[in-house]
Amino acid sequence: MRENGKPTLLTRRHFLASGVAMAGTIPFLPITQAGAAPNPRTAKIRLTAGTRTLAVNGKPARVFGLIGPNGKPGITLSSSERFHVDLVNQAGASTIIHWHGQLPPWIQDGFPWPQTPPISAGDTRSYDYAPITGTFWMHSHQGMQEQSLMTAPLIVYSAEDMRADRRDVVLMLHDFSFHPPEELLAGLTKSNGSQSAMPKTGMGNKSMNMGEGSMGAMNMGSGMAMDLNDIDYDAFLANDRTFADPEIVRTEPGGRVRLRVINAASSTQFWIDLGALTGTVIAADGHPVRPVRDTRLPLAIAQRLDVLIDLPGNGTYPIFAQVEGKRARTGIVLAASGAPVSRLAAEAGENALPVDLSLERRLAAVTPLAPRAPDVTHRVIFAGAMAPYAWSLNGEYWPEVTPLIIATGQRVAIEMVNQSTMAHPMHLHGHAFQVIALNGAPLAGAVRDTVLVPPMGSVTIAFDADNPGRWAFHCHNLYHMMTGMMTEVRYSAIM
Ligand SMILES: [Cu+2]
């Protein structure tokens, strides 16, 4: 194991390559002979859904957690491992965990369909599928547990990751409130238009003034007001810590870092600001993209970015995540061994702009879909309002929805048309889609699992129907989803 580096995982292939006998009755070496490296896993991985206490702004906060076999949040797999997991529910409440962006059979997806009900407190459920490599995450799909941090990283190393000499750094973002999520939601749904009685749909709100308070409003130059943060959070967390007491990652001078940023917030979008550094984006939502270099990167809710960073020297380099529309920020610090780390200002000098499609427009998949015209195109209209607070797809509110029907073997396109003044990060379960148009302009974009549809904008995605089942398709803003912004993509052969 390299000090200050990614633990060297030994795979079955490494054992074979090193000439260690794998045959016979010895399935793997005892850990004492393998040094500090973990054994190649032939047994199940134990993942425990439970509760834990964090310190936030100097106060204790009781939250959920998903703790892996090494006592740390989440699961990290080497390239040859299966996702062979026993999920043990010790959370004291029923739960169900979704493996966000992974492509398992639908009954292992972690969504509370009638056929796959939540796991009762005290029970265990087993999972076994072949994972895809990249930066993923896991979160509860039960009630509003996600807001109470029932979330964790899910990282699957590629064979190249296993060989590369670079530091692997996960940066997981959260929004945090000391108020229970049900109370936050009630504050929105019971709001009697004190902020604005105007619907967020369509036209007619050009003079909308959102005023002071928890919501941000931005004039987009066209006279159209755009709404940002619905919830007034108490803190923004990076790897469970605020920027007043950030995680400090000690790095090798001049070393290379693979930064895996995960936006696990329930209702907050960020700009990732590399400060003095320039990064190279190499993957979006776990799927490789052609390299794009930049220092400020928009990250919608539930999205991930993998960024390669060459550290220029032996200094200290903060990585900021600034909330869109606000000065508030969180982050971590990359610091060479021995380099001093001074206290960082909790707020940026200026409000951040709204997260937008400026990066999406520049992304192109390394492995795009094969050229093919869609066999079926579904058009989905987004609408919603602050008073009453509710968000819909094609005028329908979950669970009273009409499924989008597709069939195995089809090339499917979904055209999403946003007729509201909020941006919606849309996530499709069970498939990786390619972004093929932004605001009507064709694009051979990224392959990913979550895409932002901007206010009054449109985005078209396409995918091959190769994973039969019932699949959720929803806005990943938790408060939008909870008030209706979810539907089903269903294969016609199911049910
Ligand atoms: Cu939304």
Side-chain angles (χ1 to χ4, degrees):
M1 183 184 293
R2 182 158 55 92
E3 184 155 4
N4 267 340
K6 178 180 74 190
T8 308
L9 296 179
L10 286 186
T11 63
R12 183 175 292 274
R13 187 170 54 252
H14 280 107
F15 277 95
L16 290 168
S18 65
V20 177
M22 293 288 294
T25 56
I26 307 171
F28 48 77
L29 289 176
I31 197 156
T32 47
Q33 282 177 259
N39 290 315
R41 294 193 186 101
T42 55
K44 283 183 184 174
I45 298 163
R46 184 183 171 93
L47 178 71
T48 304
T51 56
R52 61 208 170 112
T53 302
L54 300 178
V56 181
N57 301 342
K59 290 197 288 184
R62 194 77 179 148
V63 298
F64 289 121
L66 288 158
I67 303 301
N70 60 0
K72 293 188 175 147
I75 290 176
T76 300
L77 299 175
S78 59
S79 56
S80 58
E81 286 179 291
R82 286 181 71 82
F83 187 92
H84 195 192
V85 170
D86 271 346
L87 172 57
V88 183
N89 182 3
Q90 296 182 352
S94 61
T95 193
I96 191 161
I97 306 300
H98 169 55
W99 322 111
H100 186 115
Q102 288 287 315
L103 312 175
W106 74 283
I107 55 167
Q108 296 193 51
D109 184 52
F111 186 86
W113 297 113
Q115 298 92 333
T116 55
I119 308 162
S120 300
D123 283 0
T124 295
R125 189 168 296 168
S126 299
Y127 300 82
D128 188 11
Y129 66 84
I132 57 171
T133 61
T135 302
F136 298 90
W137 63 298
M138 58 181 79
H139 63 83
S140 173
H141 234 299
Q142 172 77 354
M144 305 188 74
Q145 291 174 348
E146 181 193 290
Q147 179 71 84
S148 300
L149 274 55
M150 188 75 97
T151 62
L154 170 50
I155 310 295
V156 185
Y157 288 138
S158 67
E160 190 225 336
D161 290 330
M162 309 281 293
R163 289 191 303 266
D165 181 21
R166 64 192 174 209
R167 181 72 193 270
D168 211 85
V169 177
V170 174
L171 167 52
M172 190 162 183
L173 301 165
H174 282 119
D175 41 23
F176 174 85
S177 174
F178 284 104
H179 298 278
E182 294 75 15
E183 191 181 308
L184 299 177
L185 178 62
L188 292 167
T189 55
K190 286 173 188 164
S191 156
N192 218 358
S194 61
Q195 303 286 351
S196 167
M198 300 291 289
K200 281 193 175 183
T201 45
M203 309 305 145
N205 45 4
K206 293 195 175 189
S207 61
M208 182 160 63
N209 179 0
M210 303 304 289
E212 294 296 306
S214 66
M215 284 182 296
M218 287 225 162
N219 191 302
M220 297 306 287
S222 62
M224 177 73 76
M226 174 184 170
D227 308 313
L228 300 176
N229 307 287
D230 287 355
I231 306 286
D232 189 11
Y233 285 104
D234 291 318
F236 299 95
L237 308 180
N239 297 344
D240 294 335
R241 297 163 78 148
T242 66
F243 214 32
D245 175 30
E247 180 182 0
I248 295 162
V249 180
R250 292 292 175 181
T251 55
E252 291 172 25
R256 172 169 268 202
V257 166
R258 182 180 185 137
L259 181 67
R260 300 174 184 264
V261 194
I262 303 169
N263 186 354
S266 292
S267 186
T268 302
Q269 314 202 102
F270 295 90
W271 285 89
I272 308 308
D273 183 346
L274 305 179
L277 303 170
T278 300
T280 303
V281 176
I282 56 168
D285 298 348
H287 298 268
V289 293
R290 298 183 186 282
V292 171
R293 283 178 68 75
D294 215 327
T295 60
R296 280 178 69 86
L297 304 163
L299 191 64
I301 297 165
Q303 290 184 330
R304 290 85 66 208
L305 284 175
D306 285 36
V307 187
L308 279 187
I309 299 169
D310 288 314
L311 299 172
N314 57 356
T316 298
Y317 306 99
I319 306 290
F320 305 96
Q322 187 178 351
V323 179
E324 66 170 343
K326 289 180 179 283
R327 290 158 54 130
R329 63 186 181 184
T330 185
I332 59 173
V333 178
L334 306 180
S337 319
V341 179
S342 50
R343 199 176 167 85
L344 293 148
E347 295 205 319
E350 295 181 352
N351 287 344
L353 292 171
V355 160
D356 59 19
L357 296 179
S358 56
L359 178 61
E360 197 71 56
R361 211 167 271 126
R362 298 165 67 194
L363 296 180
V366 168
T367 310
L369 291 182
R372 179 178 168 184
D375 300 300
V376 57
T377 300
H378 287 288
R379 193 162 197 259
V380 180
I381 309 289
F382 304 176
M386 287 304 289
Y389 188 91
W391 302 89
S392 63
L393 298 173
N394 284 340
E396 296 179 327
Y397 299 87
W398 181 267
E400 277 79 46
V401 299
T402 308
L404 307 177
I405 301 294
I406 63 175
T408 301
Q410 287 181 328
R411 169 68 55 85
V412 180
I414 301 179
E415 182 187 8
M416 298 175 281
V417 180
N418 185 357
Q419 296 183 350
S420 80
T421 56
M422 278 201 85
H424 301 285
M426 295 298 294
H427 172 50
L428 174 62
H429 288 220
H431 302 77
F433 54 75
Q434 189 172 19
V435 179
I436 62 165
L438 296 175
N439 294 322
L443 180 80
V447 168
R448 61 189 318 163
D449 57 59
T450 307
V451 68
L452 188 72
V453 186
M456 305 307 292
S458 69
V459 173
T460 305
I461 59 174
F463 62 92
D464 287 324
D466 56 5
N467 197 1
R470 303 181 67 176
W471 299 103
F473 177 50
H474 63 93
C475 177
H476 224 287
N477 184 316
L478 182 62
Y479 299 87
H480 296 185
M481 187 184 82
M482 290 302 291
T483 56
M485 201 165 190
M486 176 153 62
T487 190
E488 176 184 358
V489 170
R490 186 189 294 181
Y491 284 66
S492 51
I494 300 291
M495 301 278 295

